[in-house]
Amino acid sequence: MTAETPPDRLPEYAERVLEVAELIPPGRVMTYGDVAEWLGEGGPRQVGRVMALYGGAVPWWRVVRADGRLLPGHEQRALGHYREEATPLRETATARGTADRPARLDMRRARWDGTGGAGGADDTGRAMAHN
C-alpha cells in the first residue's frame, strides 16, 4: 500500500483488476495476461498478485493461468465453480480432476475476449482497453 492510498481503500490498479474480473461472464475465463492487456497496464504477475491479495470478493476462478491449469491449492473449489457455470474443461477424463490427471480448462472454448454480453466492445466487436 502506498502513502497515497488510505488503509481502508484498495490501490487503484487493484480496483481496476477486480472490476475486469467481475465483467467476465459465467462459464468464461480470462488469463492474467488478458486482464493486463484489457487494462493496457501491468502484466500477468501484477494481475496475479492483485488476485492473490484481493480476489476473494470477486469471481476469482474466472481469472486463470494461460495453460488452463487450475490454481494450485484451490483446484477443488475452482472445479466446483467451473462445473456450476458449465465452463468448458478439457476432455471428460481430465474433467474429473483425479490426483494423477488434474482437471484443466479448455482455453480454446472457455477464453473470453472481452466482447459480448458484458460490454466493452467497440463498434467493430473488438475488445477495447479500459485504461
Side-chain angles (χ1 to χ4, degrees):
M1 196 160 304
T2 65
E4 301 86 37
T5 304
D8 60 336
R9 178 117 191 201
L10 292 176
E12 182 182 335
Y13 184 72
E15 287 182 8
R16 293 176 64 218
V17 167
L18 298 177
E19 287 171 1
V20 173
E22 290 179 324
L23 291 175
I24 303 167
R28 304 301 297 274
V29 299
M30 287 180 94
T31 68
Y32 298 114
D34 292 340
V35 172
E37 185 176 333
W38 172 276
L39 293 172
E41 177 181 4
R45 289 180 187 261
Q46 289 87 352
V47 171
R49 181 76 175 148
V50 167
M51 294 304 294
L53 292 174
Y54 311 110
V58 299
W60 54 268
W61 58 92
R62 296 182 192 153
V63 181
V64 301
R65 299 165 55 125
D67 64 6
R69 286 190 292 158
L70 306 189
L71 184 64
H74 300 280
E75 298 93 344
Q76 293 307 311
R77 285 182 54 214
L79 192 55
H81 289 293
Y82 297 139
R83 287 179 177 146
E84 181 179 315
E85 295 182 356
T87 307
L89 298 169
R90 286 179 53 190
E91 67 187 62
T92 307
T94 59
R96 287 188 215 116
T98 62
D100 58 326
R101 294 189 63 171
R104 274 196 172 186
L105 293 162
D106 182 338
M107 293 302 292
R108 185 182 54 77
R109 295 182 330 162
R111 199 171 196 169
W112 186 57
D113 65 2
T115 62
D122 65 14
D123 292 338
T124 65
R126 292 184 308 239
M128 298 185 304
H130 291 269
N131 50 2

